[in-house]
Amino acid sequence: NKKKPKSKRIAVDAIALIVNPSNTLNILSIKEIREILSGEITEWNQIEPSKLGKISVVFDHEGSSTVQYMKDSLLNGGKFGSNVFAQNTNPEVFEAVKNNKNAIGVIGVSWISADMRNAETSSAESMAKSLEVQDTVASTFDTAVKVLKVRRDDSIEAYQPYQAYIYDGRYPLFRSIYMVTTGVGGTPSHGFFSFVTGFQGQKIIMKTGILPATVHPRMV
């Protein structure tokens, strides 16, 4: 249509792996995750001594971007094993892991951040004041599930998907999010694009637990 699209990276999202708090496992390597997804590893005691049984992998739904990311990045486009199941929504993945000791959930990190869980709708005035303050907030994770640490196969260190570890690449399961618009200056779509890529929009993204593209995190 001879339109001129404009795109910009707005955030870096991480894929979190969650298990039931009764699961004693704390760390998975990329190789172990790949073998769980492909069905080569089917029992928890194949990873470490465990009283738990067969591993049940839970995604949100079959056509989601999370499913596509794991297939492309870890399985090179291959098929999942028979132990992989799809729910309908991200909250259903969360509930499945809470209620099933053998489950491991694959979910976007924003769905397990405490900021998202406890957020209450505030007035427009208080929201505006919050966005004007140039601070950084470190999101913590929902304690109803356990968030696993992930390590690269060539590393002995493992990391959880906190913003700092997404920022410097130490947490390996991450992906860039882009916003694309064909709106010209003065149109609502162009204005929204400018808002999201500006300071206030980037701060909203930061408060969800994922990493904004242009706000520098404070390393403490």
Side-chain angles (χ1 to χ4, degrees), residues 3-214:
K3 292 183 179 292
K4 295 181 179 180
K6 179 167 60 174
S7 68
K8 188 171 183 178
R9 189 171 77 159
I10 61 170
V12 183
D13 186 22
I15 306 300
L17 302 177
I18 57 175
V19 295
N20 189 280
S22 63
N23 193 324
T24 59
L25 184 72
N26 292 305
I27 298 173
L28 281 175
S29 68
I30 293 295
K31 180 176 182 293
E32 289 168 337
I33 298 169
R34 182 182 297 113
E35 291 176 348
I36 289 172
L37 294 176
S38 66
E40 295 173 69
I41 293 179
T42 58
E43 303 278 342
W44 286 110
N45 60 17
Q46 291 177 257
I47 302 172
E48 67 175 30
S50 174
K51 295 181 180 179
L52 298 177
K54 188 175 181 180
I55 299 172
S56 175
V57 184
V58 186
F59 280 94
D60 44 2
H61 59 87
E62 292 181 4
S64 75
S65 62
T66 305
V67 168
Q68 197 62 49
Y69 172 85
M70 299 300 272
K71 275 188 177 181
D72 291 346
S73 301
L74 272 70
L75 299 183
N76 295 318
K79 293 183 178 180
F80 290 132
S82 59
N83 60 326
V84 177
F85 304 94
Q87 301 294 314
N88 293 314
T89 64
N90 282 287
E92 287 183 39
V93 175
F94 190 86
E95 289 300 315
V97 172
K98 279 174 54 178
N99 298 322
N100 182 357
K101 294 180 180 180
N102 288 308
I104 177 170
V106 184
I107 196 167
V109 70
S110 63
W111 288 95
I112 55 168
S113 74
D115 285 351
M116 291 288 281
R117 187 182 77 252
N118 297 328
E120 296 180 358
T121 304
S122 60
S123 68
E125 183 180 358
S126 61
M127 172 62 82
K129 288 181 179 179
S130 165
L131 295 176
E132 290 169 0
V133 178
Q134 297 199 32
D135 62 351
T136 54
V137 179
S139 296
T140 55
F141 298 135
D142 195 317
T143 55
V145 295
K146 181 194 290 188
V147 181
L148 295 180
K149 294 181 178 180
V150 177
R151 68 173 180 85
R152 299 180 188 276
D153 294 332
D154 58 355
S155 173
I156 60 172
E157 296 291 335
Y159 300 92
Q160 287 180 304
Y162 285 109
Q163 288 168 320
Y165 301 141
I166 303 170
Y167 173 73
D168 63 15
R170 281 184 281 183
Y171 185 78
L173 302 178
F174 64 87
R175 56 186 177 177
S176 293
I177 300 174
Y178 289 84
M179 176 169 276
V180 184
T181 181
T182 58
V184 297
T187 61
S189 60
H190 182 269
F192 184 62
F193 180 89
S194 299
F195 174 78
V196 173
T197 57
F199 173 77
Q200 292 186 341
Q202 290 289 286
K203 185 168 181 182
I204 291 174
I205 289 174
M206 180 180 67
K207 286 182 174 293
T208 68
I210 64 177
L211 182 73
T214 57

